[in-house]
Amino acid sequence: MRIGLLTDGGYPYATGESRLWCDRLVRGLPQHEFDLFALSRSAHQEDQGWVRLPPQVSRVRTAPLWTPEDGTLRGSGERGLLARLVTGGEQSYGRRDRRRFTDRLTALATAICTPDEAGTEAGEGPGAQLFAEGLYGLAELARERGGLHLALRSEGTVRILEAVSRARGTGRTVQNATVPDLLAFAAELERALRPLSLDWYDQESLGAVDLCHAASGGAAALPGLLAKRFFGVPLLVTEHGVPLRAHYLSAADSPYGTPVRALLAGFHGRLATEVYRQAAIVTPGNTHVRRWQRRCGADPAQQRTVYPGMAAERFGRVGEDAERLGAAGEDDGAGGPGTLVWVGRIEPSKDLIALLHAFAEVRRAEPGARLRVFGAPADGEEAATYLAHCEALAAQLFPDEATGAHTEGVGPVTFEEIGGPEIPGLAEAYAAGGVIVLSSVVEGFPVSLVEAMFCGRATVSTDVGAVVEVIGGTGLVVPPRNPKALADACVALLRDPERRARLGAAARARALELFTVEQNLAAFRGIYLELISHTPVRREADTVDAHGAPLPFATPPEARLLGHWTRPGPHLRPQPDPDRAAAVPCRAAEPGARLPDRPGGPEPQHTRRPEPEGVCAVAAGPAGDGDA
């Protein structure tokens, strides 16, 4: 089948989120053909180039979301901007188009500014219907007129937003929005709705795919919503994180005021609800994401938890060594069994400050213990400052120690980077200690924890995000921001090598069962087939040849039947005659008769006699028995 893979700030670019996962998905399913529809987030990302694409990628369409306001959106296909009908221009438009734009934008803004009543389920209130009406109305207008991004930044848009925000029923925070606030929100709204102005919505682009697979919610799923709206293409949404939650967490660092943040939160919340409502299947990466999706309106019957697949072979040697040494009752760890290891990106959410204070307690109980921190600061000045603060605190808490009068002092805490001669890769970093520690206060899917499990290491983690779901009883979990509890758990494992080996072996077995690339590919292979089985041939171009003549067997007969193709419907079964059934006495079941489907269940309405042999066997059966 032909899959339209939708990404936002990731694949096929060399940097960005979900890049590795998308690449493994495309390469792992060579029987399918992939069309990539990618949104880029910055000029720097585009300058980094693309990864090498496999042959099953037949086409790549890209569009930047970072273009300046006065620039032309590449890939937007602007054929006479609708903005001219609002701001004026060489070409004039009629009253009907102006009214359509005003009505659709008013409906969208009303849904954003007006919260649902308390107790209303997500997607059930009138706000969700208003948002859908406004969003798809603007999309149809953009498709007809060639784009909306200048229209959404016009004075008319600001006037509409001002009128809606002052209306009765809106929140007090929104009512206090000033004109500068509305101008800032209009700019952000235009940027979020730029996918509506792209030229991807025709029979040669998204209309030509069998299935749209969005690698995340938000902007990446917008083209999928329009493909379903215009062409009936089913939409599959995969989320390893929660875009709405990420927006909430980043709002505190936003330069905008409270009214703008409230309006943006309203828009992203409505968009998430609409994406979950329209998706045929939603695949969260863990239970933590699944709960957020359900809270935002996702149907539990349409959710399938699919853990992100990770390459286990790169950790195979370390994991096998740990398993072999643990079975022999020997200690493992190149850095010694008394060494704690932390691996990850250094940033405030990892809470290394609490880890250092916890290690001070560990040193009091186990004076020979060491802590090795492997990682580099995340992007940004804040992360670099945080790393310097952690190094200063470590130097203050743990001064250098020398074993003799003529030896150089070495501190028990070291900050190291992966890639040197001693630690050339991630596997060697996890092998450098006996216990792996995760001290985060905010975490989604703990990748470093799964890597440690592949290496057969015992772990001590804080109870955040999907940690408990990933660990599943194969490690110790403590509350976040509790250095005392973290220290006690580390000391308990350092003093019990048999327990360390037992937990490490169980962790490796669990990781190999649940978190491998093969498991991930098998899940999506089945989901693709499930979705396409419910979608008959939709495009006329697939049923005719180059001369317009119908192709034999292009449309299977099953496509014309109601209901699921593989389940016999009631119209194929003869209805029993009540009068005749009352006249026929009860007798034993004949050979070949059907038994009840389950113990205690009702008898089937009819029985199938043994089928006769021969080429005319079908004709010998009773009429309507479904054999034909």
Side-chain angles (χ1 to χ4, degrees), residues 438 443-444 446 449 461-472 476-477:
L438 185 142
E443 195 76 46
L449 211 56
S461 314
T462 49
D463 187 5
V464 292
V467 166
V468 173
E469 180 182 4
V470 168
I471 288 295
L476 304 186
V477 181

Side-chain angles (χ1 to χ4, degrees), residues 556-568:
E558 294 88 347
R560 307 185 185 280
L561 297 179
L562 299 177
H564 198 283
W565 298 358
T566 60
R567 184 174 60 247

Side-chain angles (χ1 to χ4, degrees), residues 90-124:
E90 298 178 358
Q91 184 178 0
S92 61
Y93 289 86
R95 186 182 307 170
R96 179 178 300 176
D97 286 336
R98 293 197 297 270
R99 186 183 301 115
R100 286 176 62 192
F101 177 78
T102 301
D103 292 345
R104 300 303 181 266
L105 183 59
T106 300
L108 185 78
T110 302
I112 294 172
C113 296
T114 307
D116 291 329
E117 296 182 1
T120 304
E121 294 290 336
E124 299 296 333

Side-chain angles (χ1 to χ4, degrees), residues 285-552:
N286 52 72
T287 304
H288 177 68
V289 176
R290 186 186 184 101
R291 287 195 298 265
W292 270 88
Q293 292 174 344
R294 188 175 302 181
R295 181 180 179 183
C296 294
D299 184 0
Q302 296 175 335
Q303 289 180 299
R304 312 277 197 280
T305 301
V306 180
Y307 296 116
M310 299 175 60
E313 56 273 8
R314 62 189 301 191
F315 308 103
R317 182 184 59 81
V318 176
E320 291 171 0
D321 291 345
E323 196 172 273
R324 175 177 51 82
L325 293 175
E330 302 177 13
D331 286 330
D332 189 19
T339 301
L340 304 178
V341 168
W342 183 95
V343 179
R345 290 185 307 171
I346 300 177
E347 55 187 350
S349 64
K350 304 303 181 181
D351 202 9
L352 289 180
I353 301 298
L355 176 60
L356 292 174
H357 285 290
F359 186 66
E361 297 289 333
V362 172
R363 288 277 292 181
R364 294 188 183 95
E366 294 290 329
R370 293 185 59 199
L371 173 62
R372 302 182 70 175
V373 177
F374 294 99
D379 296 334
E381 183 179 352
E382 181 184 11
T385 303
Y386 184 75
L387 172 59
H389 178 58
C390 292
E391 292 176 335
L393 178 61
Q396 179 182 358
L397 292 177
F398 313 103
D400 294 344
E401 301 174 352
T403 57
H406 303 286
T407 58
E408 182 181 359
V410 178
V413 178
T414 57
F415 290 82
E416 310 172 47
E417 291 190 9
I418 299 174
E422 184 181 355
I423 305 294
L426 271 174
E428 288 75 16
Y430 291 110
V435 178
I436 310 300
V437 185
L438 185 142
S439 55
S440 303
V441 294
V442 176
E443 195 76 46
F445 185 84
V447 174
S448 62
L449 211 56
V450 177
E451 293 171 342
M453 295 168 68
F454 280 134
C455 293
R457 290 302 189 266
T459 59
V460 176
S461 314
T462 49
D463 187 5
V464 292
V467 166
V468 173
E469 180 182 4
V470 168
I471 288 295
T474 65
L476 304 186
V477 181
V478 300
R481 297 189 179 92
N482 192 333
K484 182 66 168 59
L486 190 64
D488 292 342
C490 291
V491 170
L493 289 184
L494 291 176
R495 290 178 173 177
D496 194 343
E498 293 183 359
R499 188 183 185 190
R500 280 203 314 271
R502 187 169 61 252
L503 290 177
R508 184 167 186 266
R510 179 176 176 82
L512 292 175
E513 180 183 0
L514 298 178
F515 307 122
T516 61
V517 175
E518 293 75 18
Q519 162 286 128
N520 184 268
L521 293 177
F524 280 110
R525 187 182 297 113
I527 290 173
Y528 285 174
L529 294 177
E530 177 184 351
L531 287 178
I532 208 66
S533 69
H534 295 278
T535 307
V537 176
R538 298 172 288 100
R539 296 180 296 274
E540 184 179 355
D542 292 341
T543 62
V544 297
D545 58 16
H547 304 288
L551 290 174

Side-chain angles (χ1 to χ4, degrees), residues 76-82 85 91 93 96-98 100-101 104 136-148 196-199 201 226 230:
S76 61
E78 300 169 78
R79 303 173 293 275
L81 287 174
L82 180 62
L85 69 86
Q91 184 178 0
Y93 289 86
R96 179 178 300 176
D97 286 336
R98 293 197 297 270
R100 286 176 62 192
F101 177 78
R104 300 303 181 266
Y136 297 125
L138 291 175
E140 293 169 357
L141 204 51
R143 189 186 181 199
E144 296 172 8
R145 296 300 183 181
L148 286 178
L196 273 61
S197 300
L198 302 178
D199 62 348
Y201 313 109
L226 302 189
F230 297 145

